[in-house]
Amino acid sequence: MNIVVQKFGGTSVKNLECQRQVMQKVLRPHREGNKVIVVLSAMSGETNRLLALADEWSNNPDAAEVDSMVSTGEQVSCALFAMLLKQQGVKARSLLGFQAPIETDDAHGRARITDIDKTQLMELLEEYDILVMAGFQGVTPEGRITTLGRGGSDTSAVAMAAALDADVCEIYTDVPGVFTTDPNMCTDARKMDRIAYDEMLEMASMGAKVLQIRSVEFAKKYNVTVHVRSTFSDELGTMVTQEDESMESVLVSGIAYDKDQAQITLVHVKDNPGVSAQIFSPLAEQKILVDMIVQNPSKDGKTDMTFTIPRADVDQTIKTLEALQYEIGYEELNSNLNVSKVSIIGVGMRNHSGVASRAFQTLADENINILMISTSEIKVTCLIDDKYTELAVRTLHKAFHLEEGEPVETS
Ligand code: ADP
Ligand code: ASP
Ligand code: MG
């Protein structure tokens, strides 16, 4: 049995007209004799609408109930799409996370897939030609509905492709592939034919929401080739795949940005052994993702500790750290919500120097102040004032000649 997995995002299923276009994409592999698993997101805007309802109802919405409610967005789009298919005489049915079942841990709102029952899915595929699976959702061993974090349908699809040994997982979206930067921000952005898993991981974790980061982790771990392409055209998109030598000859592959960031500074922290653990362990316990961390040189036994977190976690972070003020021994807590991260990414950086300095000079030429810097083997990230995000992305894109797609040699 040959299985094809296709995922369609919110804009692709947002109304009847779009769903009809999706149907054409789905019927093609079906007519070629494949079994098709179609993973759908909620109609665009629906997840936000549902989450806003929870905030209206409660100051501190219960996470398990939020999941139970927000997962209905996918239930609606799947049932509607299955109706369209059945009307065409196709043997199809909708399938929710708990019905598959897609088993997850109980971290509501950011659950991780722990198991997919392949046996039951294979039985269903004997009976049906197309299964319309709800993305974004799963179920705990205790039977509670969970969701996988924003953009989680990508992960549902790749996990499904990995579990069923599908050759490729097609991710259909509103842009024709993965670009050198967000094509909706920079008109010079160029579509890439291929991108290495590690580059895509950095792009996704640095804010390129075209793929959810966990979907890329799954793809890399289980060696699933992911084809990101457009629902609204037939052109080939971008293959997210294993690295090869030709990829290394490109110095910088892409630029990502993340505006959903906040900077927290603890002023005059006692500079004792263990103080970092005292600050960051309670945040880690609450699964708050701390990214950039800078500790200033100690003066009179005191230091300032600055770090970044997702903006959505600011209230929880402040509450947690305020409760520990005496224990940690800091004098003041400051937060800055007007920051964004801009990152340049490329596996070619491993073997070249000069990338970071060129990026810093480019930002300096535009008078953009860098608040924090972090680097990895294949990435340089700068935290800047968020009002300069677009300017920074565009000028960096130009400085590294990304619109040309030519390998660039540094000095
Ligand atoms: P879907 O609803 O199909 O899951 P998303 O909105 O989650 O779609 O992701 C697609 C969007 O990702 C694009 O519309 C684009 O604005 C954004 N994006 C950010 N960075 C990139 C990039 N490097 N390449 C392509 N798209 C990107
Ligand atoms: N509907 C969910 C979201 O908006 C999941 C997804 O679209 O991938 O985040
Ligand atoms: Mg998405």
Side-chain angles (χ1 to χ4, degrees):
M1 182 190 294
N2 208 42
I3 301 168
V4 171
V5 177
Q6 298 180 319
K7 176 257 170 178
F8 296 85
T11 38
S12 307
V13 295
K14 69 174 183 223
N15 55 34
L16 178 57
E17 201 190 325
C18 289
Q19 288 207 8
R20 286 199 175 120
Q21 296 202 42
V22 168
M23 192 160 64
Q24 295 317 314
K25 299 279 188 218
V26 172
L27 288 178
R28 201 173 298 165
H30 164 64
R31 289 193 182 119
E32 287 164 1
N34 301 289
K35 296 283 183 175
V36 188
I37 303 223
V38 187
V39 178
L40 298 186
S41 291
M43 294 170 164
S44 64
E46 183 62 6
T47 305
N48 287 344
R49 187 186 75 83
L50 292 168
L51 288 172
L53 282 181
D55 285 335
E56 197 181 330
W57 255 245
S58 164
N59 298 332
N60 185 19
D62 180 85
E65 301 308 341
V66 171
D67 275 356
S68 187
M69 178 205 50
V70 78
S71 59
T72 59
E74 272 69 15
Q75 180 165 353
V76 170
S77 51
C78 284
L80 287 171
F81 189 66
M83 285 178 206
L84 285 185
L85 289 173
K86 286 181 178 174
Q87 197 165 268
Q88 296 291 314
V90 179
K91 276 199 268 174
R93 66 159 282 184
S94 62
L95 198 66
L96 302 178
F98 77 89
Q99 294 170 324
I102 299 195
E103 215 169 89
T104 71
D105 62 18
D106 62 0
H108 286 283
R110 52 184 109 189
R112 281 179 181 270
I113 297 175
T114 47
D115 193 30
I116 292 181
D117 185 349
K118 189 175 162 174
T119 326
Q120 142 121 341
L121 280 168
M122 293 309 276
E123 277 168 23
L124 284 166
L125 283 172
E126 293 289 343
E127 194 179 344
Y128 296 94
D129 290 333
I130 302 183
L131 292 177
V132 187
M133 289 262 341
F136 184 50
Q137 53 178 261
V139 65
T140 66
E142 292 74 37
R144 297 289 332 232
I145 291 171
T146 52
T147 62
L148 311 179
R150 298 309 303 267
S153 302
D154 299 329
T155 303
S156 310
V158 176
M160 196 56 74
L164 298 175
D165 293 322
D167 292 340
V168 53
C169 176
E170 293 187 310
I171 304 279
Y172 285 90
T173 183
D174 58 356
V175 287
V178 180
F179 282 65
T180 46
T181 192
D182 185 350
N184 289 322
M185 175 176 276
C186 177
T187 45
D188 286 342
R190 181 179 46 83
K191 190 181 83 184
M192 293 182 252
D193 294 333
R194 288 176 326 134
I195 181 169
Y197 290 127
D198 284 340
E199 286 174 326
M200 194 62 237
L201 272 176
E202 291 283 18
M203 291 277 277
S205 62
M206 290 298 119
K209 66 171 184 160
V210 61
L211 284 179
Q212 197 199 35
I213 175 164
R214 282 193 195 153
S215 70
V216 191
E217 285 167 359
F218 254 102
K220 184 180 174 194
K221 185 165 174 197
Y222 296 101
N223 204 13
V224 178
T225 299
V226 176
H227 185 180
V228 181
R229 58 194 310 192
S230 168
T231 303
F232 307 105
S233 83
D234 278 335
E235 69 177 291
L236 288 177
T238 304
M239 296 293 181
V240 186
T241 180
Q242 267 173 358
E243 188 177 326
D244 65 31
E245 275 173 19
S246 70
M247 290 170 172
E248 288 206 351
S249 66
V250 179
L251 185 63
V252 172
S253 308
I255 299 184
Y257 66 90
D258 187 346
K259 289 181 165 185
D260 296 322
Q261 289 292 303
Q263 185 187 33
I264 305 282
T265 303
L266 297 181
V267 182
H268 289 171
V269 180
K270 276 191 220 143
D271 197 7
N272 295 335
V275 73
S276 298
Q278 276 179 318
I279 297 170
F280 297 116
S281 301
L283 300 182
E285 270 160 32
Q286 293 175 65
K287 302 215 160 53
I288 294 172
L289 280 179
V290 175
D291 184 25
M292 305 165 99
I293 302 177
V294 170
Q295 181 180 350
N296 285 347
S298 181
K299 205 174 155 212
D300 304 328
K302 302 216 164 165
T303 178
D304 291 348
M305 189 77 90
T306 304
F307 56 93
T308 60
I309 49 165
R311 209 173 285 177
D313 292 330
V314 165
D315 290 346
Q316 206 180 336
T317 301
I318 293 179
K319 211 166 110 194
T320 308
L321 293 177
E322 279 180 350
L324 294 169
Q325 178 165 12
Y326 180 73
E327 229 173 306
I328 299 169
Y330 65 86
E331 283 171 19
E332 211 177 291
L333 187 158
N334 297 324
S335 58
N336 181 2
L337 305 191
N338 302 317
V339 292
S340 76
K341 279 191 308 202
V342 176
S343 307
I344 55 177
I345 293 143
V347 288
M349 273 185 218
R350 278 196 200 114
N351 309 319
H352 287 86
S353 57
V355 177
S357 61
R358 198 198 301 189
F360 302 153
Q361 191 57 53
T362 305
L363 296 178
D365 291 345
E366 296 295 334
N367 244 335
I368 299 173
N369 192 28
I370 301 173
L371 306 170
M372 290 173 92
I373 297 168
S374 76
T375 60
S376 79
E377 218 188 2
I378 64 163
K379 173 200 77 183
V380 178
T381 301
C382 297
L383 191 77
I384 60 172
D385 188 325
D386 68 350
K387 67 174 182 257
Y388 297 121
T389 312
E390 277 193 52
L391 179 64
V393 168
R394 288 196 186 133
T395 47
L396 287 168
H397 197 269
K398 219 176 221 106
F400 287 97
H401 306 287
L402 290 180
E403 72 284 4
E404 292 161 19
E406 294 295 324
V408 183
E409 287 301 321
T410 42
S411 50

